[in-house]
Amino acid sequence: MTATERTGSAEEDPKLAAFLQLKVPKGYRAELIEGEILVTPPPDRDHEDIVGKLTWLIARESATRLYAPGTVGLITPLGRFIPDATVAAWGSIQGAEYWAEPTGVVMTVEVTSVRGDRDRGPKRRGYAAAGIPLYLLVDRSNAYTTLYGDPREGDYRRTVSVPFGKGLDLPAPFSFSLDTAVFV
């Protein structure tokens, strides 16, 4: 069963239909998370600084050719999410619709903003339910970076957290130690 079938179609789900027709101001993001439509304003510059540094490190340090395009809409069993960064095999999202299943995605990244509880809970569960191998959470309010792995039964079974400033070993296909000091 595909993620689209699990979340239903726009014809079957009026909330999904309304969500897909939603128009938001430039820079804003609209997501459908566990049945709730959420519209968030553009992130602050510190948030974007972290995303930029992280995507640069991934492209530069990974053992495999990876890239991390932003604002990629992912269909998950728990809704339609837009990660702060979507790390994928080179070219794997090319030609896909804006809202697509996470084929080729090896890791999603969220950097907490005002509502970090969504990143720690519903988004984590949604990425796991979609079978995305890794989820990296840069938690600015707690000054920790957490790597979730081994998605099974709707959640991640492996968690490694380090305070900002410590190295975090990223497994293959990354195969490098992420210097979280760049998030301070």
mmCIF file with all atom_site columns, all heavy atoms in Angstrom, residues 12 31 35 43 46-47 49 91 96 129 136 142 144 155 161 169 175 180:
data_model
loop_
_atom_site.group_PDB
_atom_site.id
_atom_site.type_symbol
_atom_site.label_atom_id
_atom_site.label_alt_id
_atom_site.label_comp_id
_atom_site.label_asym_id
_atom_site.label_entity_id
_atom_site.label_seq_id
_atom_site.pdbx_PDB_ins_code
_atom_site.Cartn_x
_atom_site.Cartn_y
_atom_site.Cartn_z
_atom_site.occupancy
_atom_site.B_iso_or_equiv
_atom_site.pdbx_formal_charge
_atom_site.auth_seq_id
_atom_site.auth_comp_id
_atom_site.auth_asym_id
_atom_site.auth_atom_id
_atom_site.pdbx_PDB_model_num
ATOM 1   N N   . GLU A 1 12  ? -11.635 11.580 -1.395  1.00 0.00 ? 12  GLU A N   1
ATOM 2   C CA  . GLU A 1 12  ? -12.146 10.895 -0.209  1.00 0.00 ? 12  GLU A CA  1
ATOM 3   C C   . GLU A 1 12  ? -12.013 11.722 1.066   1.00 0.00 ? 12  GLU A C   1
ATOM 4   O O   . GLU A 1 12  ? -12.735 11.511 2.022   1.00 0.00 ? 12  GLU A O   1
ATOM 5   C CB  . GLU A 1 12  ? -11.385 9.581  -0.002  1.00 0.00 ? 12  GLU A CB  1
ATOM 6   C CG  . GLU A 1 12  ? -11.520 8.604  -1.136  1.00 0.00 ? 12  GLU A CG  1
ATOM 7   C CD  . GLU A 1 12  ? -10.506 7.466  -1.026  1.00 0.00 ? 12  GLU A CD  1
ATOM 8   O OE1 . GLU A 1 12  ? -9.580  7.552  -0.199  1.00 0.00 ? 12  GLU A OE1 1
ATOM 9   O OE2 . GLU A 1 12  ? -10.641 6.501  -1.781  1.00 0.00 ? 12  GLU A OE2 1
ATOM 10  N N   . GLU A 1 31  ? 1.556   22.668 5.679   1.00 0.00 ? 31  GLU A N   1
ATOM 11  C CA  . GLU A 1 31  ? 1.730   21.232 5.839   1.00 0.00 ? 31  GLU A CA  1
ATOM 12  C C   . GLU A 1 31  ? 0.451   20.646 6.424   1.00 0.00 ? 31  GLU A C   1
ATOM 13  O O   . GLU A 1 31  ? -0.316  21.348 7.096   1.00 0.00 ? 31  GLU A O   1
ATOM 14  C CB  . GLU A 1 31  ? 2.901   20.921 6.777   1.00 0.00 ? 31  GLU A CB  1
ATOM 15  C CG  . GLU A 1 31  ? 4.245   21.412 6.272   1.00 0.00 ? 31  GLU A CG  1
ATOM 16  C CD  . GLU A 1 31  ? 5.360   21.189 7.284   1.00 0.00 ? 31  GLU A CD  1
ATOM 17  O OE1 . GLU A 1 31  ? 5.450   21.994 8.238   1.00 0.00 ? 31  GLU A OE1 1
ATOM 18  O OE2 . GLU A 1 31  ? 6.119   20.230 7.119   1.00 0.00 ? 31  GLU A OE2 1
ATOM 19  N N   . GLY A 1 35  ? -3.602  15.269 10.302  1.00 0.00 ? 35  GLY A N   1
ATOM 20  C CA  . GLY A 1 35  ? -4.944  15.788 10.088  1.00 0.00 ? 35  GLY A CA  1
ATOM 21  C C   . GLY A 1 35  ? -5.110  17.272 10.358  1.00 0.00 ? 35  GLY A C   1
ATOM 22  O O   . GLY A 1 35  ? -6.190  17.812 10.173  1.00 0.00 ? 35  GLY A O   1
ATOM 23  N N   . PRO A 1 43  ? 11.274  30.967 8.048   1.00 0.00 ? 43  PRO A N   1
ATOM 24  C CA  . PRO A 1 43  ? 12.157  30.808 9.205   1.00 0.00 ? 43  PRO A CA  1
ATOM 25  C C   . PRO A 1 43  ? 13.076  32.009 9.376   1.00 0.00 ? 43  PRO A C   1
ATOM 26  O O   . PRO A 1 43  ? 13.330  32.751 8.427   1.00 0.00 ? 43  PRO A O   1
ATOM 27  C CB  . PRO A 1 43  ? 12.952  29.541 8.873   1.00 0.00 ? 43  PRO A CB  1
ATOM 28  C CG  . PRO A 1 43  ? 12.838  29.365 7.412   1.00 0.00 ? 43  PRO A CG  1
ATOM 29  C CD  . PRO A 1 43  ? 11.579  30.028 6.974   1.00 0.00 ? 43  PRO A CD  1
ATOM 30  N N   . ASP A 1 46  ? 18.878  32.670 11.674  1.00 0.00 ? 46  ASP A N   1
ATOM 31  C CA  . ASP A 1 46  ? 19.684  31.692 12.407  1.00 0.00 ? 46  ASP A CA  1
ATOM 32  C C   . ASP A 1 46  ? 19.282  30.269 12.017  1.00 0.00 ? 46  ASP A C   1
ATOM 33  O O   . ASP A 1 46  ? 20.129  29.390 11.860  1.00 0.00 ? 46  ASP A O   1
ATOM 34  C CB  . ASP A 1 46  ? 19.539  31.888 13.923  1.00 0.00 ? 46  ASP A CB  1
ATOM 35  C CG  . ASP A 1 46  ? 20.229  33.145 14.416  1.00 0.00 ? 46  ASP A CG  1
ATOM 36  O OD1 . ASP A 1 46  ? 21.107  33.690 13.707  1.00 0.00 ? 46  ASP A OD1 1
ATOM 37  O OD2 . ASP A 1 46  ? 19.888  33.592 15.535  1.00 0.00 ? 46  ASP A OD2 1
ATOM 38  N N   . HIS A 1 47  ? 17.984  30.048 11.847  1.00 0.00 ? 47  HIS A N   1
ATOM 39  C CA  . HIS A 1 47  ? 17.472  28.752 11.387  1.00 0.00 ? 47  HIS A CA  1
ATOM 40  C C   . HIS A 1 47  ? 18.063  28.414 10.023  1.00 0.00 ? 47  HIS A C   1
ATOM 41  O O   . HIS A 1 47  ? 18.606  27.327 9.803   1.00 0.00 ? 47  HIS A O   1
ATOM 42  C CB  . HIS A 1 47  ? 15.945  28.830 11.317  1.00 0.00 ? 47  HIS A CB  1
ATOM 43  C CG  . HIS A 1 47  ? 15.269  27.600 10.818  1.00 0.00 ? 47  HIS A CG  1
ATOM 44  N ND1 . HIS A 1 47  ? 15.202  27.274 9.474   1.00 0.00 ? 47  HIS A ND1 1
ATOM 45  C CD2 . HIS A 1 47  ? 14.601  26.631 11.484  1.00 0.00 ? 47  HIS A CD2 1
ATOM 46  C CE1 . HIS A 1 47  ? 14.526  26.148 9.338   1.00 0.00 ? 47  HIS A CE1 1
ATOM 47  N NE2 . HIS A 1 47  ? 14.147  25.742 10.544  1.00 0.00 ? 47  HIS A NE2 1
ATOM 48  N N   . ASP A 1 49  ? 20.699  29.659 8.623   1.00 0.00 ? 49  ASP A N   1
ATOM 49  C CA  . ASP A 1 49  ? 22.148  29.520 8.722   1.00 0.00 ? 49  ASP A CA  1
ATOM 50  C C   . ASP A 1 49  ? 22.516  28.077 9.064   1.00 0.00 ? 49  ASP A C   1
ATOM 51  O O   . ASP A 1 49  ? 23.427  27.496 8.466   1.00 0.00 ? 49  ASP A O   1
ATOM 52  C CB  . ASP A 1 49  ? 22.702  30.489 9.772   1.00 0.00 ? 49  ASP A CB  1
ATOM 53  C CG  . ASP A 1 49  ? 24.212  30.425 9.876   1.00 0.00 ? 49  ASP A CG  1
ATOM 54  O OD1 . ASP A 1 49  ? 24.893  30.820 8.895   1.00 0.00 ? 49  ASP A OD1 1
ATOM 55  O OD2 . ASP A 1 49  ? 24.721  29.979 10.932  1.00 0.00 ? 49  ASP A OD2 1
ATOM 56  N N   . GLY A 1 91  ? 20.126  13.362 -7.719  1.00 0.00 ? 91  GLY A N   1
ATOM 57  C CA  . GLY A 1 91  ? 19.163  13.314 -8.812  1.00 0.00 ? 91  GLY A CA  1
ATOM 58  C C   . GLY A 1 91  ? 17.905  12.517 -8.561  1.00 0.00 ? 91  GLY A C   1
ATOM 59  O O   . GLY A 1 91  ? 17.055  12.418 -9.439  1.00 0.00 ? 91  GLY A O   1
ATOM 60  N N   . ALA A 1 96  ? 10.081  14.609 -10.142 1.00 0.00 ? 96  ALA A N   1
ATOM 61  C CA  . ALA A 1 96  ? 8.946   14.225 -9.296  1.00 0.00 ? 96  ALA A CA  1
ATOM 62  C C   . ALA A 1 96  ? 8.003   15.415 -9.104  1.00 0.00 ? 96  ALA A C   1
ATOM 63  O O   . ALA A 1 96  ? 8.411   16.570 -9.202  1.00 0.00 ? 96  ALA A O   1
ATOM 64  C CB  . ALA A 1 96  ? 9.439   13.730 -7.939  1.00 0.00 ? 96  ALA A CB  1
ATOM 65  N N   . ALA A 1 129 ? 7.207   6.417  9.803   1.00 0.00 ? 129 ALA A N   1
ATOM 66  C CA  . ALA A 1 129 ? 6.136   5.649  9.157   1.00 0.00 ? 129 ALA A CA  1
ATOM 67  C C   . ALA A 1 129 ? 6.330   5.577  7.651   1.00 0.00 ? 129 ALA A C   1
ATOM 68  O O   . ALA A 1 129 ? 5.925   4.601  7.015   1.00 0.00 ? 129 ALA A O   1
ATOM 69  C CB  . ALA A 1 129 ? 4.779   6.267  9.490   1.00 0.00 ? 129 ALA A CB  1
ATOM 70  N N   . LEU A 1 136 ? 17.315  13.648 11.269  1.00 0.00 ? 136 LEU A N   1
ATOM 71  C CA  . LEU A 1 136 ? 18.216  14.466 12.068  1.00 0.00 ? 136 LEU A CA  1
ATOM 72  C C   . LEU A 1 136 ? 17.441  15.671 12.594  1.00 0.00 ? 136 LEU A C   1
ATOM 73  O O   . LEU A 1 136 ? 16.874  16.433 11.812  1.00 0.00 ? 136 LEU A O   1
ATOM 74  C CB  . LEU A 1 136 ? 19.403  14.936 11.232  1.00 0.00 ? 136 LEU A CB  1
ATOM 75  C CG  . LEU A 1 136 ? 20.483  15.705 11.998  1.00 0.00 ? 136 LEU A CG  1
ATOM 76  C CD1 . LEU A 1 136 ? 21.275  14.745 12.890  1.00 0.00 ? 136 LEU A CD1 1
ATOM 77  C CD2 . LEU A 1 136 ? 21.415  16.403 11.022  1.00 0.00 ? 136 LEU A CD2 1
ATOM 78  N N   . ASN A 1 142 ? 16.956  23.248 23.028  1.00 0.00 ? 142 ASN A N   1
ATOM 79  C CA  . ASN A 1 142 ? 17.648  22.395 23.995  1.00 0.00 ? 142 ASN A CA  1
ATOM 80  C C   . ASN A 1 142 ? 19.143  22.271 23.713  1.00 0.00 ? 142 ASN A C   1
ATOM 81  O O   . ASN A 1 142 ? 19.849  21.599 24.454  1.00 0.00 ? 142 ASN A O   1
ATOM 82  C CB  . ASN A 1 142 ? 17.012  21.000 24.020  1.00 0.00 ? 142 ASN A CB  1
ATOM 83  C CG  . ASN A 1 142 ? 15.587  21.045 24.547  1.00 0.00 ? 142 ASN A CG  1
ATOM 84  O OD1 . ASN A 1 142 ? 15.292  21.768 25.484  1.00 0.00 ? 142 ASN A OD1 1
ATOM 85  N ND2 . ASN A 1 142 ? 14.701  20.291 23.928  1.00 0.00 ? 142 ASN A ND2 1
ATOM 86  N N   . TYR A 1 144 ? 20.755  20.561 21.422  1.00 0.00 ? 144 TYR A N   1
ATOM 87  C CA  . TYR A 1 144 ? 21.122  19.170 21.152  1.00 0.00 ? 144 TYR A CA  1
ATOM 88  C C   . TYR A 1 144 ? 20.856  18.842 19.692  1.00 0.00 ? 144 TYR A C   1
ATOM 89  O O   . TYR A 1 144 ? 19.942  19.398 19.081  1.00 0.00 ? 144 TYR A O   1
ATOM 90  C CB  . TYR A 1 144 ? 20.293  18.207 22.017  1.00 0.00 ? 144 TYR A CB  1
ATOM 91  C CG  . TYR A 1 144 ? 20.968  17.804 23.299  1.00 0.00 ? 144 TYR A CG  1
ATOM 92  C CD1 . TYR A 1 144 ? 20.963  18.648 24.402  1.00 0.00 ? 144 TYR A CD1 1
ATOM 93  C CD2 . TYR A 1 144 ? 21.642  16.593 23.401  1.00 0.00 ? 144 TYR A CD2 1
ATOM 94  C CE1 . TYR A 1 144 ? 21.596  18.287 25.577  1.00 0.00 ? 144 TYR A CE1 1
ATOM 95  C CE2 . TYR A 1 144 ? 22.272  16.221 24.574  1.00 0.00 ? 144 TYR A CE2 1
ATOM 96  C CZ  . TYR A 1 144 ? 22.249  17.075 25.656  1.00 0.00 ? 144 TYR A CZ  1
ATOM 97  O OH  . TYR A 1 144 ? 22.878  16.719 26.815  1.00 0.00 ? 144 TYR A OH  1
ATOM 98  N N   . ASP A 1 155 ? 7.777   4.377  14.301  1.00 0.00 ? 155 ASP A N   1
ATOM 99  C CA  . ASP A 1 155 ? 8.703   5.251  15.018  1.00 0.00 ? 155 ASP A CA  1
ATOM 100 C C   . ASP A 1 155 ? 10.126  4.743  14.801  1.00 0.00 ? 155 ASP A C   1
ATOM 101 O O   . ASP A 1 155 ? 10.335  3.658  14.250  1.00 0.00 ? 155 ASP A O   1
ATOM 102 C CB  . ASP A 1 155 ? 8.386   5.302  16.511  1.00 0.00 ? 155 ASP A CB  1
ATOM 103 C CG  . ASP A 1 155 ? 8.773   6.638  17.151  1.00 0.00 ? 155 ASP A CG  1
ATOM 104 O OD1 . ASP A 1 155 ? 9.525   7.426  16.524  1.00 0.00 ? 155 ASP A OD1 1
ATOM 105 O OD2 . ASP A 1 155 ? 8.323   6.890  18.281  1.00 0.00 ? 155 ASP A OD2 1
ATOM 106 N N   . SER A 1 161 ? 21.853  11.232 20.742  1.00 0.00 ? 161 SER A N   1
ATOM 107 C CA  . SER A 1 161 ? 21.802  12.682 20.951  1.00 0.00 ? 161 SER A CA  1
ATOM 108 C C   . SER A 1 161 ? 23.134  13.173 21.491  1.00 0.00 ? 161 SER A C   1
ATOM 109 O O   . SER A 1 161 ? 23.737  12.520 22.341  1.00 0.00 ? 161 SER A O   1
ATOM 110 C CB  . SER A 1 161 ? 20.714  13.045 21.958  1.00 0.00 ? 161 SER A CB  1
ATOM 111 O OG  . SER A 1 161 ? 19.439  12.777 21.450  1.00 0.00 ? 161 SER A OG  1
ATOM 112 N N   . ASP A 1 169 ? 28.386  10.954 14.875  1.00 0.00 ? 169 ASP A N   1
ATOM 113 C CA  . ASP A 1 169 ? 28.735  10.059 13.771  1.00 0.00 ? 169 ASP A CA  1
ATOM 114 C C   . ASP A 1 169 ? 27.510  9.738  12.939  1.00 0.00 ? 169 ASP A C   1
ATOM 115 O O   . ASP A 1 169 ? 26.519  9.211  13.455  1.00 0.00 ? 169 ASP A O   1
ATOM 116 C CB  . ASP A 1 169 ? 29.363  8.767  14.298  1.00 0.00 ? 169 ASP A CB  1
ATOM 117 C CG  . ASP A 1 169 ? 30.733  8.990  14.910  1.00 0.00 ? 169 ASP A CG  1
ATOM 118 O OD1 . ASP A 1 169 ? 31.412  9.965  14.520  1.00 0.00 ? 169 ASP A OD1 1
ATOM 119 O OD2 . ASP A 1 169 ? 31.121  8.200  15.788  1.00 0.00 ? 169 ASP A OD2 1
ATOM 120 N N   . SER A 1 175 ? 28.853  8.528  6.418   1.00 0.00 ? 175 SER A N   1
ATOM 121 C CA  . SER A 1 175 ? 30.151  8.034  6.889   1.00 0.00 ? 175 SER A CA  1
ATOM 122 C C   . SER A 1 175 ? 31.115  9.152  7.273   1.00 0.00 ? 175 SER A C   1
ATOM 123 O O   . SER A 1 175 ? 32.273  9.155  6.873   1.00 0.00 ? 175 SER A O   1
ATOM 124 C CB  . SER A 1 175 ? 30.791  7.100  5.847   1.00 0.00 ? 175 SER A CB  1
ATOM 125 O OG  . SER A 1 175 ? 29.912  6.045  5.538   1.00 0.00 ? 175 SER A OG  1
ATOM 126 N N   . THR A 1 180 ? 28.840  19.365 15.356  1.00 0.00 ? 180 THR A N   1
ATOM 127 C CA  . THR A 1 180 ? 27.670  20.149 15.736  1.00 0.00 ? 180 THR A CA  1
ATOM 128 C C   . THR A 1 180 ? 28.040  21.519 16.317  1.00 0.00 ? 180 THR A C   1
ATOM 129 O O   . THR A 1 180 ? 27.141  22.301 16.635  1.00 0.00 ? 180 THR A O   1
ATOM 130 C CB  . THR A 1 180 ? 26.771  19.380 16.722  1.00 0.00 ? 180 THR A CB  1
ATOM 131 O OG1 . THR A 1 180 ? 27.478  19.202 17.953  1.00 0.00 ? 180 THR A OG1 1
ATOM 132 C CG2 . THR A 1 180 ? 26.364  18.025 16.144  1.00 0.00 ? 180 THR A CG2 1
#
